[in-house]
Structures are given as structure tokens and as C-alpha cells.
């Protein structure tokens, strides 16, 4: 066989493989080769996902402090959990987190779906405006948090200025006010992540065949009916998926809010993840914060599971 | 039900003329089939009547009202799409009831229920009423689509190749059913298809479309027996009409002046054995059998002649075999004469069945 015809990558690889190795590999069964391929991934997953999770669960039953590595790890049973679940502060942080997640999701779904419906009308320049709307999503959350502190500045910030154009309320301290701080982070998260919801809704809208609307039009369905009977049911799985992703992200929201309010004023914007970081890496109560992390994990995991079940039911129809 | 009138309707999409100056009247309770190949403007014509497209010229009248500029909802037409345009997230019942719940209809719940069940029974899908649209087979889905049009009792039913995505058996069943339902309801139907069998079996009148133009309208039998042109002749009949150059076959009637092509339907071709022509006053076209297709009901024989291939319907129990030399002749009075531009020429009346010739209804 003339060797100059050998050009494919497979051939090259075969030729480059030492003969001894090639013989050994050829002797393996298909199943052995399959294991050979997935083993690196499994090892990696065990090392960086499964082991830390199990180790965290173990630490949550101890009084371990990571800043005192020499001290023996002492088993204290469920004491961390008892303290956590009995603490009113923790419930407060959970409430702050819940209201942040719920409000951001409700507002972003409404605006995101609305924008998607607008963009889907395919007006002139729709592509350009889609890109413009997507820009915030491409920024780093920490950067967003930092520059919004300037936008929110009561004296020099443009936010306060614009609000005063419409209503003369005087210098508006969004971040510093107990009543407004929560809204300051909701607004920034909405500004940043509504495009994401819009993008997924748009994918859903684009998947609706136009003849469904034509059939509805001939059946004398009005625009509202068309939205209710065709658009919404067809977009729903996409919308729910977007909310699932964004909901989990916001449940563990950290970087943007740390830059913006650092959980203040008081603990009005102290999200669970922010408090967790304080306990773990400022107070170094590793065992206690591990227990908190486990509780958060179980909460998110449980909620997400219930949600995915609902999502599957919607998708089936 | 009502009369629908298209007068000089044209529609262009950019440089493409989809429908050119089409005028046709669909009478009350009439079943009109528009027949033509892909791209002949069938679907566009239908969408123009439905109001999903606006014509560039001409007018559309439904029940005496000019609806040319009215939206679909104001026309009260029903349209069955080629794809099953069901609402996938609803049950069969909800799909059928949907058109009845449109604003401004004000039907009572029991009345909606009565109509839905009646139609479901008629289309034999009553057992599937609780199923979701996506759980149905293709045939069931299309029956629901047709049912959604039927519950409405609109001015006219528009159907865009509703049977084309079904298998042969189901298509045959639904064809018969559709014709029966149309007769029972006295429905006016404008039906679009490329399938000559559907056109022949269901239509009261066929309209043959070629590149957006209506080239002939008439009852199926008329269009079949007296086509306006080669194009119209080729649209109906399977196997297709045989086309031979003028003079290649002896005919009992003299060829009219200007004849360029002879058309002979396969069922009018007479095959005789090599010696069979002996004693005849005119020489038959000699040929050789290429293939014999036994289709059960009929046997199609393909004969190679000096003038080109000829298809003939033969006796299933006949002695025709492949490679056998045969002579080709036409049944007296059956040959159609076409001019060089494709137009059909009337045969010299002397021996022609006159009534047939006069019926040609050229649009």
C-alpha cells in the first residue's frame, strides 16, 4: 500500500502511536475503551464536586475553624444546625434572599417577555436593538456593582438626577436608605439580566410556526386570545427554563451586591450568600458556615427539583 | 353557505407573479378543485380568498359583499392548512371548540358541545376527544383540522391539500368522506391539490392552474375529455396522456390544419399483434413492448415506437409480453389534436362526436 495516500487525522494518529501501545489498546474490549474515555471526567468530578460536597457535610457536624489548622476537628453532632435554625438572623437573611429572588424574577419576566414580543415584530433595526439590549449581560457583575454605586450617588449620580426630572424628591440615596436599598439591587439585577430572559423568550417566540396564528386569525381569535392560546403556552417552557437558571443564580447572588451595598444598610440587603461568606471567611466559623451552606444547598436543590417537575409537565403539553 | 366570486385577481411577490388575472365563480354548495403543479399559484389563490394575502389587482366577493380589503376574521371563511394547524397544547375537544369560542360568536356551552360532538362523530374521532392534539396519528390530526373548519358553518371552506400528508389508504377514505360530508352539509368548498385523482373524484368543477393563470375550468369529465391544451390534458389521467408528433399515427379523422401533436389517452390505445393489422386499410404504428406493469385493476404496457414511447392500458389477461412486437392504433374518435403552441384544435366535425367538442370551456 503506498504510504503517500495516508492523509487523514486518524491515519496520522495511528502511525504516531507506538506499536507496543497500539497492540495493547487493540486487545481491550469496547467497554474497557469506553471506561478509558470517561475515567478522567469522573475523577475530575469526584475531586472538585463530589468530595467538597461530602467534606462540607462532614464539617457541618464539627466545630472546625479553618484559620486554626492545627486544632483537632471536634465532632459536635447537630449543634450547628440547631443554632442556625433557631437563629432569627438566619431567617431574616433567608427572607431577604427570597424577596430578592421573587421580585427580580417577576419584574424580569414581565419586562423580558415584553421586550421579546417587541423584538419579534422584526421592525427595521431589530437586530441592532437586540445587540444593544444584550450588552449589560456581557459585563462582569462586580464591575456592574461598582459603577452603579456611582450612578446611584445621591449628589453626582445620574439615577437621582433622572428621578428628580420626573418627581422633585431631592437627592435620592438608593444604597444608603433602609427602604430603598433592596430596590437598588433589584433594579441593577433587572438592568443586567432582563436581556437573558428576553433572549430565551425570543427563542420560544421564533419556534412558533406562523400558520398557527393564521389559523387563529381565520378562527376569529383576537390578539389577546392569540397571545393567551398560542404565544404564552408556546413560550412557557422557555420562560420557565430562564426563570430556573436565573432563580438559582440569584439565590446565590454575591459579587454584584457586595460591590453595591455589602449587605447594608444594617442587614436590609444581607443575602444568605453574603452572610455565609462573612461567617466562613471573616469570622472563620467553618463548621457553622458549612451547616449553613448545606441548608442553602438543600433548599435550592429541593426547590429546583419541584420546579423542574412542573417544567416537564408544561413541556409535555 | 354562499357564492364566492373572484374577478381578475392578481398577486405578485417581488418579481414573481403568483396569481395572474384569475376569475372564477364558486357557486353555492359547489365543490371546486384548483389543480396544478407546485408553484402554479393554488395556495396563493386560497390565501387571497381567506384574506391572509391582499391581491394587487382584482376583487373578491363573498355572498355579494366585496371583501377584497377585509381581514380574515371579517370574511367568515374556514381554512384547512396543509400542515395540521392544531393547537398542540389543547385536547381534540378544545381544538374543535376553539373557533366557536371566538369573540362575537356568543354560543351557549351546550350548543358548542352539541356541535363539537356532532362533527367528531361525523369524522369518526369521537373516541379521541379527550386526547391531546400531539397524541394523535397523522390521519387523526388532519381529521381534527378538517373538523375545526366544519364546526364553524362558514360561508366557504378553503382546503389546501389537506390529504397530501396522509398515506394512500387514509387518503382514499378521507376523500370519500369529504365528498359525502360536502353533500350532506351542502357546503361550498374551494379545494387545492396537485393530485389528479382527488380532483377527478371530488370536484363538481375543476380549475386548471398554470403559472398563476387559470387555463381551463369545467366539470372533471369535460376537462378530461376535451382539455383546452396539452398542459390541461397532462394534469388529468394516470398514466398520463400519450403525446406523439403529428402524422405518426393514422387517425380516423383528418388532422386539422396546424396540428403539431397528437394526444391519445392510454385507455384509447389499441394494441394488436404483429399480424393483427393485416387487412386494415391504414398502417398502424409498429412497436415493441418494453415493460408490462400489472397493477391489479389495470395493466400498463409501455411500447417503444419510432414516434416515441406509448403507454397503453391492456387487458390484464391479455397475452402481451415484454419484448413482443406489437402494432399501436387509437380507438376511433379518441385522438386529440394540439397546435404547436399547445392549444387543442377542434377535429373536423364530419366524424367527431360533436357534443363533446362544443363543451370545451376555455377560461
Amino acid at each position: 500500500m503506498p504510504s503517500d495516500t495516508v492523509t487523514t487525522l486518524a491515519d496520522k494518529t495511528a502511525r504516531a502511536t507506538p506499536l507496543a501501545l497500539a497492540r495493547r489498546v487493540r486487545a481491550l474490549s469496547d467497554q474497557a475503551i469506553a471506561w478509558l474515555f470517561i475515567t478522567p471526567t469522573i475523577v475530575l468530578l469526584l475531586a472538585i464536586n463530589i468530595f467538597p460536597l461530602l467534606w462540607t457535610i462532614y464539617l457541618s457536624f464539627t466545630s472546625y475553624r479553618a484559620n486554626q489548622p492545627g486544632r483537632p476537628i471536634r465532632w459536635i453532632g447537630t449543634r450547628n444546625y440547631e443554632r442556625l435554625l433557631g437563629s432569627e438572623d438566619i431567617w431574616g437573611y433567608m427572607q431577604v434572599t427570597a424577596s430578592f429572588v421573587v421580585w427580580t424574577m417577576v419584574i424580569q419576566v414581565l419586562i423580558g417577555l415584553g421586550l421579546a414580543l417587541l423584538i419579534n415584530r422584526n421592525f427595521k433595526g431589530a437586530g441592532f436593538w437586540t445587540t444593544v439590549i444584550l450588552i449589560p449581560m456581557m459585563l462582569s457583575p462586580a464591575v456592574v456593582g461598582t459603577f452603579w454605586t456611582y450612578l446611584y450617588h445621591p449628589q453626582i449620580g445620574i439615577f437621582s438626577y433622572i428621578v428628580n426630572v420626573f418627581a422633585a424628591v431631592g437627592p435620592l440615596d438608593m444604597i444608603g436608605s433602609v427602604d430603598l436599598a433592596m430596590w437598588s439591587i433589584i433594579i441593577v439585577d433587572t438592568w443586567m439580566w432582563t436581556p437573558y430572559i428576553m433572549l430565551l423568550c425570543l427563542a420560544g417566540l421564533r419556534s412558533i410556526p406562523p400558520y398557527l396564528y393564521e389559523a387563529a386569525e381565520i378562527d376569529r381569535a383576537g390578539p389577546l386570545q392569540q397571545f393567551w392560546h398560542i404565544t404564552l403556552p408556546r413560550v412557557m417552557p422557555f420562560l420557565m427554563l430562564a426563570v430556573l437558571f436565573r432563580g438559582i443564580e440569584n439565590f446565590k447572588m454575591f459579587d454584584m451586591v457586595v460591590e453595591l451595598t455589602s449587605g447594608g444598610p444594617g442587614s436590609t440587603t444581607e443575602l444568605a450568600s453574603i452572610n455565609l461568606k462573612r461567617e466562613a471567611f471573616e469570622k472563620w466559623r467553618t463548621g457553622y458556615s458549612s451547616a449553613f451552606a448545606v441548608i442553602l444547598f438543600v433548599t435550592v436543590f429541593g426547590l429546583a427539583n419541584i420546579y423542574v417537575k412542573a417544567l416537564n409537565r408544561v413541556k409535555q403539553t | 353557505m354562499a357564492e364566492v366570486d373572484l374577478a381578475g385577481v392578481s398577486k405578485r411577490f417581488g418579481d414573481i407573479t403568483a396569481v395572474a388575472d384569475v376569475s372564477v365563480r364558486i357557486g353555492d354548495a359547489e365543490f371546486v378543485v384548483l389543480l396544478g403543479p407546485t408553484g402554479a399559484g393554488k395556495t396563493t389563490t386560497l390565501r387571497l380568498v381567506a384574506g391572509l394575502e391582499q391581491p394587487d389587482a382584482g376583487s373578491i366577493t363573498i355572498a355579494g359583499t366585496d371583501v377584497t380589503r377585509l381581514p380574515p376574521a371579517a370574511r367568515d371563511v374556514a381554512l384547512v392548512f396543509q400542515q395540521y394547524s392544531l393547537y398542540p397544547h389543547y385536547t381534540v375537544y378544545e381544538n374543535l371548540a376553539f373557533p366557536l369560542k371566538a369573540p362575537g360568536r356568543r354560543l351557549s356551552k351546550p350548543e358548542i358541545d352539541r356541535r363539537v360532538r356532532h362533527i367528531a362523530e361525523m369524522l369518526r374521532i369521537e373516541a379521541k376527544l379527550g386526547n391531546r392534539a400531539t397524541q394523535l396519528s397523522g390521519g387523526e390530526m388532519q381529521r381534527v383540522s378538517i373538523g375545526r373548519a366544519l364546526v364553524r358553518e362558514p360561508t366557504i371552506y378553503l382546503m389546501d391539500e389537506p390529504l397530501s400528508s396522509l398515506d394512500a389508504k387514509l387518503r382514499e377514505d378521507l376523500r370519500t368522506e369529504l365528498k359525502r360530508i360536502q353533500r350532506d352539509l351542502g357546503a361550498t368548498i374551494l379545494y387545492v391539490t396537485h393530485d389528479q385523482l382527488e380532483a377527478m373524484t371530488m370536484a363538481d368543477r375543476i380549475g386548471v392552474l398554470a403559472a398563476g393563470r387559470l387555463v381551463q375550468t369545467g366539470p372533471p369529465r369535460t376537462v378530461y375529455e376535451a382539455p383546452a391544451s396539452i398542459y390541461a390534458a397532462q394534469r388529468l389521467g394516470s398514466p398520463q396522456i400519450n403525446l406523439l408528433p403529428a402524422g405518426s399515427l393514422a387517425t380516423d379523422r383528418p388532422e386539422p390544419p396546424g396540428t403539431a401533436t397528437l394526444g391519445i389517452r392510454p385507455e384509447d390505445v389499441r394494441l394488436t399483434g404483429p399480424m393483427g393489422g393485416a387487412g386494415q386499410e391504414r398502417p398502424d404504428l409498429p412497436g415493441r413492448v418494453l415493460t408490462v406493469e400489472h397493477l391489479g385493476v389495470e395493466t400498463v404496457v409501455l411500447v417503444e415506437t419510432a414516434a416515441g414511447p406509448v403507454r397503453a392500458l391492456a387487458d390484464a389477461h391479455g397475452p402481451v409480453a415484454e419484448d413482443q412486437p406489437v402494432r399501436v392504433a387509437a380507438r376511433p374518435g379518441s385522438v386529440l389534436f394540439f397546435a404547436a403552441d399547445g392549444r387543442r384544435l377542434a377535429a373536423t366535425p364530419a366524424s367527431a362526436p360533436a357534443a363533446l367538442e362544443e363543451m370545451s370551456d376555455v377560461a
Side-chain angles (χ1 to χ4, degrees), chain B residues 302-316:
Chain B
L302 178 61
V303 181
E304 189 186 37
T305 73
V310 172
R311 272 173 214 281
L313 288 190
D315 180 1

mmCIF file with all atom_site columns, all heavy atoms in Angstrom, chain B residues 302-316:
data_model
loop_
_atom_site.group_PDB
_atom_site.id
_atom_site.type_symbol
_atom_site.label_atom_id
_atom_site.label_alt_id
_atom_site.label_comp_id
_atom_site.label_asym_id
_atom_site.label_entity_id
_atom_site.label_seq_id
_atom_site.pdbx_PDB_ins_code
_atom_site.Cartn_x
_atom_site.Cartn_y
_atom_site.Cartn_z
_atom_site.occupancy
_atom_site.B_iso_or_equiv
_atom_site.pdbx_formal_charge
_atom_site.auth_seq_id
_atom_site.auth_comp_id
_atom_site.auth_asym_id
_atom_site.auth_atom_id
_atom_site.pdbx_PDB_model_num
ATOM 1   N N   . LEU B 1 302 ? -45.924 -0.437 -21.712 1.00 0.00 ? 302 LEU B N   1
ATOM 2   C CA  . LEU B 1 302 ? -45.111 0.611  -22.315 1.00 0.00 ? 302 LEU B CA  1
ATOM 3   C C   . LEU B 1 302 ? -44.537 0.074  -23.618 1.00 0.00 ? 302 LEU B C   1
ATOM 4   O O   . LEU B 1 302 ? -43.849 -0.945 -23.631 1.00 0.00 ? 302 LEU B O   1
ATOM 5   C CB  . LEU B 1 302 ? -43.991 1.022  -21.360 1.00 0.00 ? 302 LEU B CB  1
ATOM 6   C CG  . LEU B 1 302 ? -43.020 2.083  -21.880 1.00 0.00 ? 302 LEU B CG  1
ATOM 7   C CD1 . LEU B 1 302 ? -43.746 3.390  -22.191 1.00 0.00 ? 302 LEU B CD1 1
ATOM 8   C CD2 . LEU B 1 302 ? -41.916 2.338  -20.868 1.00 0.00 ? 302 LEU B CD2 1
ATOM 9   N N   . VAL B 1 303 ? -44.878 0.773  -24.698 1.00 0.00 ? 303 VAL B N   1
ATOM 10  C CA  . VAL B 1 303 ? -44.456 0.313  -26.022 1.00 0.00 ? 303 VAL B CA  1
ATOM 11  C C   . VAL B 1 303 ? -43.490 1.321  -26.618 1.00 0.00 ? 303 VAL B C   1
ATOM 12  O O   . VAL B 1 303 ? -43.729 2.535  -26.553 1.00 0.00 ? 303 VAL B O   1
ATOM 13  C CB  . VAL B 1 303 ? -45.680 0.170  -26.957 1.00 0.00 ? 303 VAL B CB  1
ATOM 14  C CG1 . VAL B 1 303 ? -45.239 -0.339 -28.336 1.00 0.00 ? 303 VAL B CG1 1
ATOM 15  C CG2 . VAL B 1 303 ? -46.708 -0.760 -26.350 1.00 0.00 ? 303 VAL B CG2 1
ATOM 16  N N   . GLU B 1 304 ? -42.407 0.831  -27.153 1.00 0.00 ? 304 GLU B N   1
ATOM 17  C CA  . GLU B 1 304 ? -41.439 1.705  -27.806 1.00 0.00 ? 304 GLU B CA  1
ATOM 18  C C   . GLU B 1 304 ? -41.767 1.727  -29.301 1.00 0.00 ? 304 GLU B C   1
ATOM 19  O O   . GLU B 1 304 ? -41.870 0.674  -29.934 1.00 0.00 ? 304 GLU B O   1
ATOM 20  C CB  . GLU B 1 304 ? -40.032 1.157  -27.583 1.00 0.00 ? 304 GLU B CB  1
ATOM 21  C CG  . GLU B 1 304 ? -38.946 2.111  -28.037 1.00 0.00 ? 304 GLU B CG  1
ATOM 22  C CD  . GLU B 1 304 ? -37.581 1.452  -27.926 1.00 0.00 ? 304 GLU B CD  1
ATOM 23  O OE1 . GLU B 1 304 ? -37.488 0.241  -28.190 1.00 0.00 ? 304 GLU B OE1 1
ATOM 24  O OE2 . GLU B 1 304 ? -36.621 2.164  -27.595 1.00 0.00 ? 304 GLU B OE2 1
ATOM 25  N N   . THR B 1 305 ? -41.988 2.933  -29.805 1.00 0.00 ? 305 THR B N   1
ATOM 26  C CA  . THR B 1 305 ? -42.274 3.051  -31.236 1.00 0.00 ? 305 THR B CA  1
ATOM 27  C C   . THR B 1 305 ? -41.306 4.034  -31.857 1.00 0.00 ? 305 THR B C   1
ATOM 28  O O   . THR B 1 305 ? -40.587 4.747  -31.136 1.00 0.00 ? 305 THR B O   1
ATOM 29  C CB  . THR B 1 305 ? -43.707 3.549  -31.490 1.00 0.00 ? 305 THR B CB  1
ATOM 30  O OG1 . THR B 1 305 ? -43.751 4.936  -31.154 1.00 0.00 ? 305 THR B OG1 1
ATOM 31  C CG2 . THR B 1 305 ? -44.725 2.799  -30.660 1.00 0.00 ? 305 THR B CG2 1
ATOM 32  N N   . ALA B 1 306 ? -41.344 4.117  -33.167 1.00 0.00 ? 306 ALA B N   1
ATOM 33  C CA  . ALA B 1 306 ? -40.475 5.057  -33.874 1.00 0.00 ? 306 ALA B CA  1
ATOM 34  C C   . ALA B 1 306 ? -40.840 6.490  -33.515 1.00 0.00 ? 306 ALA B C   1
ATOM 35  O O   . ALA B 1 306 ? -39.998 7.392  -33.538 1.00 0.00 ? 306 ALA B O   1
ATOM 36  C CB  . ALA B 1 306 ? -40.586 4.832  -35.376 1.00 0.00 ? 306 ALA B CB  1
ATOM 37  N N   . ALA B 1 307 ? -42.129 6.730  -33.107 1.00 0.00 ? 307 ALA B N   1
ATOM 38  C CA  . ALA B 1 307 ? -42.584 8.081  -32.788 1.00 0.00 ? 307 ALA B CA  1
ATOM 39  C C   . ALA B 1 307 ? -42.375 8.428  -31.322 1.00 0.00 ? 307 ALA B C   1
ATOM 40  O O   . ALA B 1 307 ? -42.689 9.526  -30.887 1.00 0.00 ? 307 ALA B O   1
ATOM 41  C CB  . ALA B 1 307 ? -44.064 8.214  -33.155 1.00 0.00 ? 307 ALA B CB  1
ATOM 42  N N   . GLY B 1 308 ? -41.878 7.494  -30.540 1.00 0.00 ? 308 GLY B N   1
ATOM 43  C CA  . GLY B 1 308 ? -41.672 7.737  -29.120 1.00 0.00 ? 308 GLY B CA  1
ATOM 44  C C   . GLY B 1 308 ? -42.398 6.692  -28.292 1.00 0.00 ? 308 GLY B C   1
ATOM 45  O O   . GLY B 1 308 ? -43.101 5.838  -28.836 1.00 0.00 ? 308 GLY B O   1
ATOM 46  N N   . PRO B 1 309 ? -42.218 6.742  -26.951 1.00 0.00 ? 309 PRO B N   1
ATOM 47  C CA  . PRO B 1 309 ? -42.854 5.747  -26.097 1.00 0.00 ? 309 PRO B CA  1
ATOM 48  C C   . PRO B 1 309 ? -44.373 5.959  -26.017 1.00 0.00 ? 309 PRO B C   1
ATOM 49  O O   . PRO B 1 309 ? -44.844 7.100  -26.015 1.00 0.00 ? 309 PRO B O   1
ATOM 50  C CB  . PRO B 1 309 ? -42.204 5.975  -24.738 1.00 0.00 ? 309 PRO B CB  1
ATOM 51  C CG  . PRO B 1 309 ? -41.721 7.381  -24.768 1.00 0.00 ? 309 PRO B CG  1
ATOM 52  C CD  . PRO B 1 309 ? -41.423 7.723  -26.195 1.00 0.00 ? 309 PRO B CD  1
ATOM 53  N N   . VAL B 1 310 ? -45.123 4.880  -25.955 1.00 0.00 ? 310 VAL B N   1
ATOM 54  C CA  . VAL B 1 310 ? -46.578 4.953  -25.838 1.00 0.00 ? 310 VAL B CA  1
ATOM 55  C C   . VAL B 1 310 ? -47.001 4.048  -24.690 1.00 0.00 ? 310 VAL B C   1
ATOM 56  O O   . VAL B 1 310 ? -46.555 2.910  -24.600 1.00 0.00 ? 310 VAL B O   1
ATOM 57  C CB  . VAL B 1 310 ? -47.252 4.485  -27.155 1.00 0.00 ? 310 VAL B CB  1
ATOM 58  C CG1 . VAL B 1 310 ? -48.768 4.365  -26.960 1.00 0.00 ? 310 VAL B CG1 1
ATOM 59  C CG2 . VAL B 1 310 ? -46.923 5.420  -28.298 1.00 0.00 ? 310 VAL B CG2 1
ATOM 60  N N   . ARG B 1 311 ? -47.854 4.617  -23.803 1.00 0.00 ? 311 ARG B N   1
ATOM 61  C CA  . ARG B 1 311 ? -48.388 3.801  -22.708 1.00 0.00 ? 311 ARG B CA  1
ATOM 62  C C   . ARG B 1 311 ? -49.804 3.379  -23.054 1.00 0.00 ? 311 ARG B C   1
ATOM 63  O O   . ARG B 1 311 ? -50.582 4.199  -23.560 1.00 0.00 ? 311 ARG B O   1
ATOM 64  C CB  . ARG B 1 311 ? -48.407 4.595  -21.408 1.00 0.00 ? 311 ARG B CB  1
ATOM 65  C CG  . ARG B 1 311 ? -47.133 4.494  -20.638 1.00 0.00 ? 311 ARG B CG  1
ATOM 66  C CD  . ARG B 1 311 ? -47.132 5.419  -19.447 1.00 0.00 ? 311 ARG B CD  1
ATOM 67  N NE  . ARG B 1 311 ? -45.774 5.919  -19.235 1.00 0.00 ? 311 ARG B NE  1
ATOM 68  C CZ  . ARG B 1 311 ? -44.826 5.203  -18.646 1.00 0.00 ? 311 ARG B CZ  1
ATOM 69  N NH1 . ARG B 1 311 ? -45.062 3.992  -18.208 1.00 0.00 ? 311 ARG B NH1 1
ATOM 70  N NH2 . ARG B 1 311 ? -43.619 5.713  -18.504 1.00 0.00 ? 311 ARG B NH2 1
ATOM 71  N N   . ALA B 1 312 ? -50.109 2.132  -22.797 1.00 0.00 ? 312 ALA B N   1
ATOM 72  C CA  . ALA B 1 312 ? -51.437 1.639  -23.115 1.00 0.00 ? 312 ALA B CA  1
ATOM 73  C C   . ALA B 1 312 ? -51.990 0.859  -21.945 1.00 0.00 ? 312 ALA B C   1
ATOM 74  O O   . ALA B 1 312 ? -51.233 0.227  -21.198 1.00 0.00 ? 312 ALA B O   1
ATOM 75  C CB  . ALA B 1 312 ? -51.357 0.744  -24.349 1.00 0.00 ? 312 ALA B CB  1
ATOM 76  N N   . LEU B 1 313 ? -53.314 0.975  -21.711 1.00 0.00 ? 313 LEU B N   1
ATOM 77  C CA  . LEU B 1 313 ? -53.970 0.123  -20.727 1.00 0.00 ? 313 LEU B CA  1
ATOM 78  C C   . LEU B 1 313 ? -54.396 -1.119 -21.470 1.00 0.00 ? 313 LEU B C   1
ATOM 79  O O   . LEU B 1 313 ? -55.085 -1.059 -22.495 1.00 0.00 ? 313 LEU B O   1
ATOM 80  C CB  . LEU B 1 313 ? -55.190 0.823  -20.135 1.00 0.00 ? 313 LEU B CB  1
ATOM 81  C CG  . LEU B 1 313 ? -54.910 1.970  -19.179 1.00 0.00 ? 313 LEU B CG  1
ATOM 82  C CD1 . LEU B 1 313 ? -56.199 2.383  -18.496 1.00 0.00 ? 313 LEU B CD1 1
ATOM 83  C CD2 . LEU B 1 313 ? -53.882 1.557  -18.142 1.00 0.00 ? 313 LEU B CD2 1
ATOM 84  N N   . ALA B 1 314 ? -53.972 -2.291 -20.982 1.00 0.00 ? 314 ALA B N   1
ATOM 85  C CA  . ALA B 1 314 ? -54.268 -3.521 -21.694 1.00 0.00 ? 314 ALA B CA  1
ATOM 86  C C   . ALA B 1 314 ? -55.104 -4.447 -20.838 1.00 0.00 ? 314 ALA B C   1
ATOM 87  O O   . ALA B 1 314 ? -55.216 -4.247 -19.615 1.00 0.00 ? 314 ALA B O   1
ATOM 88  C CB  . ALA B 1 314 ? -52.969 -4.205 -22.089 1.00 0.00 ? 314 ALA B CB  1
ATOM 89  N N   . ASP B 1 315 ? -55.682 -5.419 -21.450 1.00 0.00 ? 315 ASP B N   1
ATOM 90  C CA  . ASP B 1 315 ? -56.439 -6.448 -20.763 1.00 0.00 ? 315 ASP B CA  1
ATOM 91  C C   . ASP B 1 315 ? -55.487 -7.207 -19.846 1.00 0.00 ? 315 ASP B C   1
ATOM 92  O O   . ASP B 1 315 ? -54.430 -7.672 -20.262 1.00 0.00 ? 315 ASP B O   1
ATOM 93  C CB  . ASP B 1 315 ? -57.027 -7.391 -21.832 1.00 0.00 ? 315 ASP B CB  1
ATOM 94  C CG  . ASP B 1 315 ? -57.841 -8.499 -21.199 1.00 0.00 ? 315 ASP B CG  1
ATOM 95  O OD1 . ASP B 1 315 ? -57.941 -8.495 -19.951 1.00 0.00 ? 315 ASP B OD1 1
ATOM 96  O OD2 . ASP B 1 315 ? -58.358 -9.340 -21.945 1.00 0.00 ? 315 ASP B OD2 1
ATOM 97  N N   . ALA B 1 316 ? -55.885 -7.315 -18.555 1.00 0.00 ? 316 ALA B N   1
ATOM 98  C CA  . ALA B 1 316 ? -54.999 -7.949 -17.580 1.00 0.00 ? 316 ALA B CA  1
ATOM 99  C C   . ALA B 1 316 ? -54.681 -9.387 -17.960 1.00 0.00 ? 316 ALA B C   1
ATOM 100 O O   . ALA B 1 316 ? -53.635 -9.908 -17.602 1.00 0.00 ? 316 ALA B O   1
ATOM 101 C CB  . ALA B 1 316 ? -55.644 -7.899 -16.197 1.00 0.00 ? 316 ALA B CB  1
#
